Amino acid sequence: MLRRTFLTQSLGASALALLPNHANLFGRNSKEVSVRAITYGSKSHWFGYYDKWQFDPSGRYVLGMEVDVPRRSPTENDIIKIGVVDLENNDPEGRPQWIEVGESNAWGWQQGCMLQWIPGSENQVIWNDQEDGQYVSRILSRESGKEKILPKPVYALSPDGTFAVGTEFNRIQNMRPGYGYPGIPDPYAKVKAPDEIGLYRMDLHSGESKLIFSLAQAAAIPYRGKSLEDKWHYFNHLLVSPDSKRMIFLHRWREAPANTAGASGGFTTRMFTINIDGSDPYILDPSGRTSHFIWRDPQHICAWTKPEGKKAAFYLFKDQTDEVEIVGDGKMTVNGHNTYVPNTNGEWILNDTYPSNDQKRLQTLYLYHVPTDRKVILGQFYEPPVFKGEWRCDLHPRSNQQGTRVVFDSTHQNGQRQMYLADISSIIENS
């Protein structure tokens, strides 16, 4: 067990004061892991979702967002600042330097503005924004300072850095507020399954985009033998395969749009994979319970779900087949935001949990070693009860491209949303 002095040096006395009974942040079985704040002050700093490159290829620069908005849903008038944290250059107070590079008013608390480094690029950053009544995306070259505006927003980028995939954020906002963006109404708000919108692919160089699979096409495929024509449909959570040839998306439907009569009961989900030209759609998980997922390699996806007749857990699916096997039985059976640590040959999974269901409200950050079925607790972090619903702060851990460091979002210190850096190199190297 680590000493209290080490914890105080790592996270500060104020962090410990927020933890009920000064709970042990790192767990009895963990190794000493260096954790430090990399953003500070009275404003919120965070990155959001977990499946994008937050670190540049060198591992020196870390992307983030800054906002001075209380705990409420954002409006189209709320602007966030886009910034880069320089881990090798401190400000006058000895803290990692925050460099502002842009702004956006198309964002949400959970996924931000889809801010990320373009894969393969050392200095190009992309994020979503609003301009002239439309959602767009901006590409900034940090080296030259030049900016390019693309005509549609991005959801996920291809690992080869040549194209983006997306879906309509106003449709998402209409169906699940907080995961889309406010300000631009859904033009198909009265249509259950429009032909005109769905998944699109956009060239990152030319900005040319093409609809590849519509909501109507998805809705036409029965669910467990039953028609979905009377449901309200949308797509969410897109992610391109490592070889940039296929993608995952979640097809979701509700009895009615959110915040309308009949909207109670939430949504049902099934997971599709599809070629990036829209051909060969395949229902990989029809269970209705798919949650977080990540590609392990071009043929396999690790996802939290509950297959028919089986318990809820992480499962490894082989694309376009019915082959599926449980991952981490007994060790990794709590839903969280999972990614494979780079350069570990798929052996290490980085993950987190939601707050524990007790007064401690601890979010656990951990690594899971697949070959040995071993779980390594990196830390447990208190989330104050005021952070709930749409403006909760999930840890959403993100690795650097070397697989040696992790940044996560947390509210454990002074009840303020900030970003923290953890060094996992000793654990990975000694595995």
Side-chain angles (χ1 to χ4, degrees), residues 223-224 268-271 283-291 304-308 317:
Y223 175 64
R224 295 181 172 176
T268 305
T269 299
R270 60 184 175 184
M271 179 169 66
I283 301 175
L284 190 62
D285 181 14
S287 69
R289 302 289 296 276
T290 315
S291 184
W304 176 270
T305 186
K306 188 182 184 303
E308 190 71 29
F317 292 83

Side-chain angles (χ1 to χ4, degrees), residues 355 360-363 381-385 387 392-394 411:
K360 293 182 179 180
R361 288 186 55 82
L362 296 180
Q363 298 169 289
F381 303 92
Y382 174 61
E383 183 178 54
F387 289 95
R392 70 186 185 277
C393 183
D394 300 334
T411 55

Side-chain angles (χ1 to χ4, degrees), residues 37 39-48 65-67 69-72 107-112 363 383-384 386-396 398 408-420:
T39 56
Y40 303 83
S42 60
K43 297 180 180 180
S44 295
H45 297 88
W46 85 113
F47 183 75
M65 299 170 293
E66 178 186 83
V67 70
V69 172
R71 290 179 289 274
R72 61 165 171 79
W107 62 279
W109 287 112
Q110 295 307 303
Q111 296 181 311
Q363 298 169 289
E383 183 178 54
V386 294
F387 289 95
K388 58 185 178 180
E390 180 184 334
W391 49 85
R392 70 186 185 277
C393 183
D394 300 334
L395 300 182
H396 285 156
R398 292 85 52 178
F408 60 96
D409 307 327
S410 181
T411 55
H412 68 271
Q413 194 164 18
N414 300 321
Q416 183 63 264
R417 191 184 306 253
Q418 300 292 354
M419 299 193 297
Y420 295 83

Side-chain angles (χ1 to χ4, degrees), residues 362-394:
L362 296 180
Q363 298 169 289
T364 300
L365 177 68
Y366 68 94
L367 288 166
Y368 174 72
H369 192 233
V370 179
T372 60
D373 196 30
R374 181 163 59 99
K375 188 173 182 178
V376 180
I377 305 296
L378 302 177
Q380 292 181 299
F381 303 92
Y382 174 61
E383 183 178 54
V386 294
F387 289 95
K388 58 185 178 180
E390 180 184 334
W391 49 85
R392 70 186 185 277
C393 183
D394 300 334

Side-chain angles (χ1 to χ4, degrees), residues 10-11 34-38 40 87 90 96 405 419-422:
S10 298
L11 294 174
S34 172
V35 176
R36 63 186 176 103
I38 60 171
Y40 303 83
L87 297 178
N90 291 338
R405 287 174 155 185
M419 299 193 297
Y420 295 83
L421 178 72

Side-chain angles (χ1 to χ4, degrees), residues 189-204:
K190 296 183 179 181
V191 184
K192 293 181 178 180
D195 281 302
E196 297 85 355
I197 60 173
L199 303 177
Y200 58 81
R201 174 184 173 180
M202 180 172 64
D203 187 287
L204 290 178

Side-chain angles (χ1 to χ4, degrees), residues 163-200:
F163 66 89
V165 293
T167 190
E168 305 303 331
F169 284 93
N170 45 19
R171 183 71 177 190
I172 298 175
Q173 186 70 7
N174 186 24
M175 295 295 167
R176 194 184 183 193
Y179 283 80
Y181 306 138
I184 301 175
D186 175 8
Y188 303 99
K190 296 183 179 181
V191 184
K192 293 181 178 180
D195 281 302
E196 297 85 355
I197 60 173
L199 303 177
Y200 58 81

